[in-house]
Amino acid sequence: MRTRTRKEAVYKGIRVSPGIFIGKVTIIARPSVTVSTRKLRSDKAVEEEIQKFMAARDMFVKDLERGITTLPESILTVVQSQISILKDPNLEREVIAIIREERRPAEYAVNKVLQKLSRQLQRSESDYMRERAEEIKRMASDFVLRIQNSGHLQGHKVILRNRAIVTDDLSVQETLRSIRAGAKAFAFSAGGKTSHAGIIIRNYHLPAVFALGDEFISSVSTGDRVIVDGYTGVVIVHPKKATLLRYKGLRERYKLQEKKLLELKDKPAMTSDQVRLTLLANIDVPDELDLVKNYGAQGIGLFRTEYLFESYKLDEAIQTRIYRKVARQVYPGPLVIRLFDLGADKVFGREMKHPALGMRGIRVLLKDEKLLRTQIRAIIKANQQGNVKLMIPMVSLLEEVEAVKEILKQEYRQLKSNPVNKALQLPELGIMIETPSAALMSDILADHVNFFSIGTNDLTQYVLAVARGDAELAHMYNHLHPAVLRSIKWVCDNAHRKNVWVGVCGELASDPLGVPLLIGMRVDELSVAPGALLTTKNIINSVPYEEAKELVNKVMKLSTVDEVRDAVTSFLKKYVEEIVLEGGAYHEDKA
Ligand code: PEP
Ligand code: MG
């Protein structure tokens, strides 16, 4: 028997998909790609290279199209966007021009064109665009390999069944192939939460941790044992016996707790003293709907639509089809569709001088009315049953609300003038409260809208003047800061005075420490990450509203995040038996 000499090592990455995997790894090494730059000596050779390019491209498209009908909608969108890059006539034109004019082989031309595209996206401020850039780089190397192998991509001849896949990152195709071959977890040295691989893995409910770093990859070999903890974003290589035992226990505990929490699925969200709340879910892509349904959400409080921007921003028909389908699936529950929130941390496609404080959200849309009107028409057309609501992101001026309202009315009138649209209803109009301006003016804004949804993620960054994604200032970015909580309380009080529905869709609503405070402020609705639905309901159902109100009064007098955290933690300990945090805060404390 082999004696274990290697030491246990713990690597921290980002949580991409929850769950715990204990087992062996398979390393997928990316084949190194060498691109030939040789000069083509004859016209015949030039024509042959053009044929090679076309054949490899067609094969690539065919492979991507294979089995496409069985894919969930969101993954379909991903695959289709790759297909449309490959089929783009500009790509063909540019590649052929390089082969002809520079007299270089197909692999050189393809690589040059795709790398250029990737570099353009790489310069973007947005993580989402940079992740797309990485994907295009991978497409480039896959394309080169196909040209070198007469159109084929060599499969990985490695064991994938029941393994955790360790690699730098995977393409859409590789991810799907690994899952179909039985992979059970993913640990990547690179990759991001909104990468397509991440979306797919979440859809299949497999644990995943990304961005573990290069040191992680070099510490592990195929066949080694690892623990992938998708709850806390940790991967443990060569775990000690004690660690293994602890994680086996944790895995069981999570299973039990999940079972217990699942009993809450169909119960109403109601405090122990009978105050009802509406509990909704936030989704980034429609494939999360299954999760949402499993966990008993009453509807969707925030449908982020940015994923549609790249491929379908001006495609009214596809947008309508997608919104309609989601609306039908959540009916009779509400579906709050947020207009494209472009800029800052999200997809945009161009570089910004001042990402968070410049062109963002509604500011972009009002400058590009075609984009805005297309989306508004699709949203109206989806409102066949009356459960669709439209939400404006990043509002900071009343004029922005008035402008959207006017466009909404115009488009609605125009659509209704066609008898085929007789059944359509005007969607309710709401705004995100996520800028200090909107929060401070909420008493006035309340007169112009049907609902508020407080976006605590952005509100925190703007109130505290700390960028959301700034690693150096991460310790300062906290939605439990008294300044943020006071802003939220001010908005809730104004909403109540004006009889306007107020919900919270920022992460504070998914944070167990935020929930009692929001209950105490008497919000009407919490809209949370799908994975946080049951833990949130557990807290709502366990605490008395009257006591939560007292807690808020107390917290409003506190000065620091630590004081708030202590006050809420002792409150929770009094009323909630055990809390499983998807984010793993309690679990991390114990680990
Ligand atoms: C928010 O800002 O709190 C919010 C929900 O919007 P997003 O996270 O999409 O910016
Ligand atoms: Mg926001």
Side-chain angles (χ1 to χ4, degrees):
M1 218 172 77
R2 190 164 68 117
T3 48
R4 179 177 292 279
T5 50
R6 284 166 300 184
K7 270 182 73 178
E8 173 177 297
V10 180
Y11 295 89
K12 183 99 184 109
I14 52 172
R15 302 178 263 130
V16 169
S17 181
I20 290 177
F21 167 87
I22 303 173
K24 289 183 177 170
V25 307
T26 288
I27 311 270
I28 295 185
R30 188 161 292 285
S32 58
V33 183
T34 321
V35 181
S36 164
T37 56
R38 76 195 149 85
K39 264 274 195 218
L40 304 174
R41 305 242 170 259
S42 66
D43 290 347
K44 187 168 162 260
V46 166
E47 290 315 310
E48 275 170 10
E49 288 301 315
I50 293 173
Q51 289 314 315
K52 264 198 212 168
F53 155 67
M54 306 273 232
R57 194 244 344 249
D58 293 347
M59 199 83 117
F60 203 159
V61 171
K62 218 165 103 196
D63 276 357
L64 281 169
E65 281 173 344
R66 188 170 305 136
I68 204 167
T69 47
T70 60
L71 294 173
E73 184 98 43
S74 63
I75 300 177
L76 192 70
T77 319
V78 170
V79 176
Q80 275 167 343
S81 79
Q82 300 213 330
I83 293 173
S84 63
I85 293 175
L86 292 171
K87 282 186 169 169
D88 187 346
N90 288 329
L91 175 91
E92 184 175 311
R93 210 172 27 247
E94 283 184 51
V95 169
I96 293 178
I98 294 172
I99 300 175
R100 286 225 163 94
E101 286 154 28
E102 297 185 31
R103 298 184 81 78
R104 301 280 179 191
E107 58 192 77
Y108 171 88
V110 161
N111 192 51
K112 188 169 174 182
V113 174
L114 288 177
Q115 295 290 353
K116 191 176 90 190
L117 179 60
S118 167
R119 274 197 304 277
Q120 283 164 357
L121 296 174
Q122 193 74 46
R123 283 197 289 270
S124 164
E125 287 277 348
S126 122
D127 288 350
Y128 185 89
M129 292 310 276
R130 283 200 297 271
E131 282 164 18
R132 297 295 82 80
E134 286 304 313
E135 278 159 10
I136 289 172
K137 256 198 227 163
R138 273 192 301 284
M139 266 180 97
S141 60
D142 282 2
F143 209 147
V144 168
L145 288 170
R146 281 173 186 276
I147 293 170
Q148 294 170 348
N149 293 305
S150 318
H152 299 284
L153 190 64
Q154 301 297 319
H156 307 292
K157 293 189 181 52
V158 287
I159 306 166
L160 299 174
R161 177 158 300 281
N162 296 328
R163 294 282 173 114
I165 306 303
V166 170
T167 183
D168 56 346
D169 197 354
L170 290 181
S171 69
V172 168
Q173 243 188 314
E174 290 167 324
T175 311
L176 287 169
R177 197 190 298 145
S178 308
I179 294 173
R180 285 175 185 147
K184 288 287 181 282
F186 294 84
F188 293 174
S189 60
K193 203 167 182 155
T194 62
S195 72
H196 287 146
I199 293 171
I200 295 169
I201 294 164
R202 265 199 301 282
N203 186 62
Y204 285 90
H205 309 300
L206 298 170
V209 180
F210 288 2
L212 286 152
D214 291 338
E215 205 190 312
F216 159 70
I217 289 253
S218 40
S219 74
V220 59
S221 320
T222 291
D224 282 350
R225 201 197 299 255
V226 296
I227 295 167
V228 179
D229 179 353
Y231 290 104
T232 60
V234 159
V235 174
I236 303 171
V237 182
H238 313 308
K240 288 185 290 206
K241 225 176 177 169
T243 312
L244 274 175
L245 273 176
R246 186 159 60 82
Y247 266 92
K248 280 182 183 164
L250 265 177
R251 194 171 53 181
E252 289 316 303
R253 207 180 101 204
Y254 277 130
K255 267 194 208 147
L256 272 178
Q257 280 171 338
E258 212 167 319
K259 212 169 132 206
K260 222 166 121 194
L261 285 173
L262 272 173
E263 290 166 12
L264 295 174
K265 178 179 167 261
D266 298 316
K267 298 216 168 105
M270 186 154 66
T271 61
S272 61
D273 50 356
Q274 316 291 303
V275 175
R276 255 181 199 267
L277 275 96
T278 297
L279 183 57
L280 306 178
N282 298 342
I283 56 167
D284 293 351
V285 285
D287 70 305
E288 287 174 298
L289 271 179
D290 285 347
L291 252 193
V292 166
K293 281 203 200 126
N294 285 346
Y295 295 152
Q298 293 165 268
I300 303 297
L302 167 64
F303 179 15
R304 293 183 171 99
T305 54
E306 291 77 39
Y307 84 102
L308 290 168
F309 176 72
E310 253 177 299
S311 311
Y312 305 123
K313 55 177 168 290
L314 294 175
D315 195 329
E316 191 179 317
I318 290 205
Q319 284 192 40
T320 306
R321 188 163 58 79
I322 292 171
Y323 302 153
R324 239 181 222 166
K325 195 166 161 201
V326 180
R328 229 179 281 131
Q329 281 176 288
V330 301
Y331 184 80
L335 166 64
V336 180
I337 304 178
R338 185 175 70 182
L339 297 173
F340 293 131
D341 182 14
L342 310 167
D345 56 316
K346 304 197 183 65
V347 46
F348 193 6
R350 69 176 162 104
E351 277 178 61
M352 300 299 307
K353 222 170 174 185
H354 309 289
L357 296 176
M359 287 300 284
R360 222 206 116 167
I362 191 57
R363 301 169 184 180
V364 177
L365 298 175
L366 286 173
K367 264 206 117 169
D368 188 345
E369 269 204 21
K370 197 166 165 212
L371 184 65
L372 176 61
R373 284 183 187 268
T374 305
Q375 196 176 19
I376 286 185
R377 267 197 308 277
I379 294 173
I380 299 171
K381 280 170 147 179
N383 197 21
Q384 295 169 310
Q385 293 146 115
N387 63 333
V388 173
K389 299 166 195 252
L390 185 153
M391 182 154 74
I392 317 176
M394 269 299 288
V395 167
S396 58
L397 301 172
L398 172 61
E399 291 88 327
E400 292 163 338
V401 182
E402 285 176 330
V404 174
K405 215 172 178 176
E406 185 51 36
I407 292 174
L408 177 64
K409 270 198 224 148
Q410 285 169 8
E411 294 298 338
Y412 177 69
R413 234 179 283 134
Q414 209 262 330
L415 281 168
K416 286 286 272 193
S417 64
N418 184 341
V420 297
N421 291 324
K422 225 173 76 195
L424 294 185
Q425 303 180 41
L426 182 69
E428 279 189 15
L429 179 70
I431 55 173
M432 298 278 300
I433 302 281
E434 49 187 351
T435 63
S437 165
L440 290 168
M441 300 291 286
S442 49
D443 53 335
I444 291 177
L445 292 168
D447 291 332
H448 301 264
V449 296
N450 301 110
F451 64 93
F452 287 159
S453 187
I454 307 176
T456 56
N457 309 341
D458 277 308
L459 190 61
T460 302
Q461 88 163 338
Y462 294 124
V463 166
L464 300 179
V466 176
R468 274 166 87 155
D470 193 306
E472 219 176 333
L473 294 180
H475 62 287
M476 281 177 69
Y477 177 91
N478 199 312
H479 52 209
L480 293 173
H481 191 286
V484 180
L485 299 176
R486 285 173 182 218
S487 312
I488 298 170
K489 171 92 167 41
W490 171 251
V491 176
C492 291
D493 291 348
N494 283 330
H496 297 144
R497 255 198 302 280
K498 297 284 177 124
N499 234 342
V500 160
W501 181 270
V502 58
V504 177
C505 63
E507 286 297 306
L508 184 67
S510 302
D511 180 349
L513 296 179
V515 180
L517 294 170
L518 298 175
I519 295 172
M521 293 184 202
R522 193 61 189 94
V523 297
D524 297 294
E525 160 205 314
L526 296 179
S527 190
V528 306
L533 276 163
L534 293 176
T535 48
T536 306
K537 195 187 278 183
N538 187 33
I539 297 172
I540 296 173
N541 293 11
S542 310
V543 307
Y545 162 67
E546 287 300 332
E547 298 301 316
K549 202 162 91 179
E550 278 312 303
L551 172 73
V552 169
N553 289 338
K554 196 170 133 194
V555 163
M556 284 301 120
K557 296 185 196 111
L558 299 179
S559 330
T560 65
V561 170
D562 284 345
E563 287 171 10
V564 174
R565 198 183 282 125
D566 288 348
V568 185
T569 306
S570 43
F571 177 88
L572 279 175
K573 280 188 180 151
K574 210 158 127 197
Y575 296 106
V576 188
E577 208 179 287
E578 187 168 22
I579 302 162
V580 186
L581 303 186
E582 209 231 342
Y586 278 31
H587 165 52
E588 249 167 358
D589 287 349
K590 286 178 184 169

